[in-house]
Amino acid sequence: MNRLFGYAMCWVAVMGAITLGAGESGADRLASGLAALPAWAYIGFRVRREIRAIKEDGGLARERGRRRKFMEGDELVDAVTRLVGGDPQPLKCREKGHGAGHVCVAVSDELDLAGVVDGISGRYGASRSLALRGFADPTADATTGLPLLAPFGTDVIGMRAWAHAGSWIGAGTVRVGGDVRHVVLVAERAVPVVAGLPADATWVERVVAVTGWAGEARAVDWDAVEARLGTRLPTDFKQLAEIFGHGAFDGFLTLYVPESGVPGMDFVEHAEYLAGFAARSGTSLWEPYGIHPAPGGLLEWGSSEQADQFYWLTEGDDPDRWPVLASEDIPDSWTRFDGTAAEFVFRMLTERSHPHSVARYYDTHWFQSYEDEDEDEDEE
């Protein structure tokens, strides 16, 4: 309707102009001109509005162009994933004054950093704090995330870190001049060194070394756990559970631990669930074995993303001598391993010949924690 009205006003203006030029007297031409004035005024109004709209569209286009230099939260997480999962080529940052060994991802000043941290944690597990309120972790080194701090020196305010294969992922805040900026970056991660361990190093110490794990240990009331289960547990498993907590090695083998806080993943609750299911079903899905607390029954301590299950065969009175039984997601696929859970994990990470090897896919290993950590969102 507005468009038709505009056409009509244009027609009146044109006809008025024609009449103005063709009038026989000055009075006729004056009358025609006065009659066409509203139409010319409307045309002028429309022209000004169109010019203003063009300018505004141009401004919006420039703003969109400026914003397109940056990425939103989901796009940032996707960009991080591409960097982490890309070809293992040396990383070189384009930021002025930054050297090689990392890449900073462009972020907007309006970035929801807490949302980005949540998005990265959803893919790479819980983060650890490298810097908080302007104070960096003084123990940080190349094996625990220092490459994420190095590009910013003393200007780091807060930094969360994730390890994944040969990469560090970082998200935090830094000072730039008198401003505070959000940063997201991916840095190269050195291969954790195992060769320097003493010959008598335990399997747990080797697992810690090969994953470069530096998380804080947790306390577990093992007396209460073992009383509830009705059996003692292997020593090395207790150490693994305390040192690592709930999470996955190389994102593959998930470790069940007591008091994990994750539904369905608590070690004791899972054992009780399997025992109840076996009792209710009347038949065993684990033949020729039973499920603990049946004598010599299976007790599950881990599983994989490919539906593999890892158990102890609770035979004998010494839990430290219980063998590990692994089952794939196919009938009658049992594999026996005469060693501890920690030895099983270490060999799985490092030996290509291991039946559940991840060494065929990764040269650098890590532990992906699922434990929640307190984060100071205001500072980061």
Side-chain angles (χ1 to χ4, degrees):
M1 182 63 71
N2 288 338
R3 185 171 295 178
L4 290 176
F5 181 69
Y7 289 152
M9 295 300 286
C10 289
W11 180 82
V12 170
V14 171
M15 293 305 295
I18 293 173
T19 303
L20 179 63
E24 296 180 357
S25 66
D28 291 338
R29 288 193 294 272
L30 180 59
S32 299
L34 291 173
L37 278 178
W40 285 112
Y42 177 77
I43 291 173
F45 166 73
R46 289 299 298 266
V47 168
R48 286 196 301 271
R49 194 168 75 171
E50 291 299 323
I51 291 173
R52 186 167 63 249
I54 291 171
K55 290 181 178 178
E56 289 176 353
D57 287 345
L60 289 173
R62 288 191 296 273
E63 178 64 15
R64 284 195 295 269
R66 186 186 73 83
R67 287 178 177 272
R68 284 175 98 66
K69 295 179 182 179
F70 306 109
M71 289 174 278
E72 300 300 328
D74 291 343
E75 293 177 307
L76 270 171
V77 178
D78 290 341
V80 166
T81 298
R82 287 192 294 271
L83 286 169
V84 168
D87 295 332
Q89 298 179 353
L91 299 177
K92 187 173 182 179
C93 189
R94 296 182 180 179
E95 290 286 327
K96 184 178 179 180
H98 286 199
H102 77 282
V103 170
C104 289
V105 183
V107 299
S108 167
D109 292 338
E110 291 99 26
L111 173 70
D112 175 17
L113 186 62
V116 172
V117 169
D118 288 343
I120 298 175
S121 294
R123 298 188 188 183
Y124 300 102
S127 61
R128 63 181 296 258
S129 179
L130 283 180
L132 184 64
R133 299 187 180 93
F135 295 96
D137 180 356
T139 65
D141 58 24
T143 65
T144 59
L146 184 60
L148 295 173
L149 301 177
F152 312 105
T154 58
D155 293 326
V156 177
I157 298 174
M159 183 68 68
R160 309 298 304 183
W162 297 260
H164 181 85
S167 300
W168 286 109
I169 303 167
T173 53
V174 298
R175 293 185 187 88
V176 179
D179 299 326
V180 174
R181 277 183 47 195
H182 297 314
V183 292
V184 175
L185 70 157
V186 173
E188 295 171 2
R189 178 172 176 253
V191 177
V193 178
V194 181
L197 290 175
D200 60 349
T202 67
W203 292 110
V204 172
E205 290 171 336
R206 298 183 190 200
V207 173
V208 171
V210 79
T211 58
W213 181 246
E216 294 185 4
R218 60 202 293 270
V220 178
D221 186 350
W222 291 111
D223 290 338
V225 169
E226 292 175 334
R228 186 168 165 183
L229 287 171
T231 181
R232 292 185 296 118
L233 294 171
T235 303
D236 74 320
F237 169 74
K238 296 178 185 179
Q239 295 170 346
L240 286 176
E242 290 174 349
I243 293 171
F244 290 96
H246 178 56
F249 294 97
D250 281 13
F252 173 76
L253 189 154
T254 297
L255 183 68
Y256 295 163
V257 298
E259 305 167 3
S260 71
V262 180
M265 293 296 175
D266 181 86
F267 175 76
V268 179
E269 291 179 358
H270 185 67
E272 291 174 340
Y273 168 78
L274 291 184
F277 179 83
R280 290 191 304 272
S281 65
T283 59
S284 176
L285 298 177
W286 301 270
E287 293 180 351
Y289 307 102
I291 287 292
H292 176 81
L298 300 174
L299 186 57
E300 188 170 8
W301 56 267
S303 63
S304 82
E305 62 172 2
Q306 297 178 355
D308 303 318
Q309 290 91 38
F310 306 106
Y311 306 87
W312 293 292
L313 185 61
T314 60
E315 57 183 16
D317 297 330
D318 185 359
D320 292 329
R321 298 180 65 85
W322 288 347
V324 171
L325 286 183
S327 174
E328 299 178 28
D329 191 27
I330 55 178
D332 196 24
S333 58
W334 297 104
T335 301
R336 179 173 173 133
F337 180 84
D338 288 308
T340 68
E343 182 181 355
F344 181 92
V345 170
F346 180 79
R347 294 190 182 280
M348 178 198 75
L349 295 175
T350 60
E351 296 179 358
R352 292 176 177 267
S353 60
H354 192 282
H356 297 274
S357 173
V358 292
R360 290 171 280 185
Y361 310 106
Y362 300 108
D363 295 323
T364 307
H365 307 286
W366 74 101
F367 182 76
Q368 182 172 319
S369 175
Y370 299 149
E371 300 283 354
D372 291 332
E373 293 187 16
D374 294 329
E375 298 178 11
D376 194 322
E377 304 288 357
D378 294 333
E379 293 296 331
E380 299 183 14

